[in-house]
Amino acid sequence: MASRPIRIPGPDHPITVTRSDAHVVVRAAGQVIAETRRALELREASYPPVFYIPRADADMTLLVRTEHASYCPYKGEAAYFSIRGGAENAVWSYEAPYAAVAEIGDHLAFYPDRVEAIEVNR
């Protein structure tokens, strides 16, 4: 099997991760899945910003790990979770992210179109 490429963020594909002071609440399947004031905001190239929430601030009992996986040459291998009573593969996590984005390890991100709401109050 060929090894996967690893790319470093730079001027052609910038990635920044900053601590957010926002109160972020994720709702799905009629309940709060995650709530935090410790989110990280990842901005990557021209993509919309994504909030990464510490696993400690999510109700992990409402999530079910799936076999689905994806790969990003800038961030690494992503694992996925479905929401009990909700959407399949609605949540992803880089459990061993590459060094350039190491701070997103042990955090979760949510697809906005697969949850009821991602509320951000600044």
Side-chain angles (χ1 to χ4, degrees):
M1 182 171 125
S3 65
R4 293 186 167 188
I6 298 174
R7 297 196 176 121
I8 306 299
D12 60 328
H13 192 98
I15 297 177
T16 60
V17 179
T18 56
R19 176 83 182 241
S20 174
D21 60 356
H23 179 218
V24 181
V25 180
V26 180
R27 298 179 192 279
Q31 51 203 337
V32 172
I33 303 295
E35 182 172 6
T36 192
R37 290 188 180 277
R38 303 182 305 142
L40 299 175
E41 189 171 1
L42 184 141
R43 293 181 178 270
E44 178 176 4
S46 61
Y47 301 116
V50 175
F51 286 98
Y52 281 79
I53 295 173
R55 285 186 184 211
D57 294 342
D59 186 345
M60 295 300 291
T61 66
L62 300 175
L63 305 179
V64 179
R65 190 182 184 102
T66 71
E67 295 297 318
H68 185 68
S70 65
Y71 178 75
C72 172
Y74 295 95
K75 295 185 289 289
E77 184 83 25
Y80 286 77
F81 298 84
S82 293
I83 298 168
R84 291 184 194 279
E88 293 290 312
N89 298 315
V91 184
W92 75 92
S93 179
Y94 290 94
E95 296 173 336
Y98 292 150
V101 293
E103 56 264 65
I104 66 171
D106 205 31
H107 285 66
L108 303 168
F110 297 80
Y111 284 107
D113 62 342
R114 297 184 191 176
V115 297
E116 292 165 11
I118 299 175
E119 301 165 6
V120 180
N121 300 302
R122 297 189 191 260

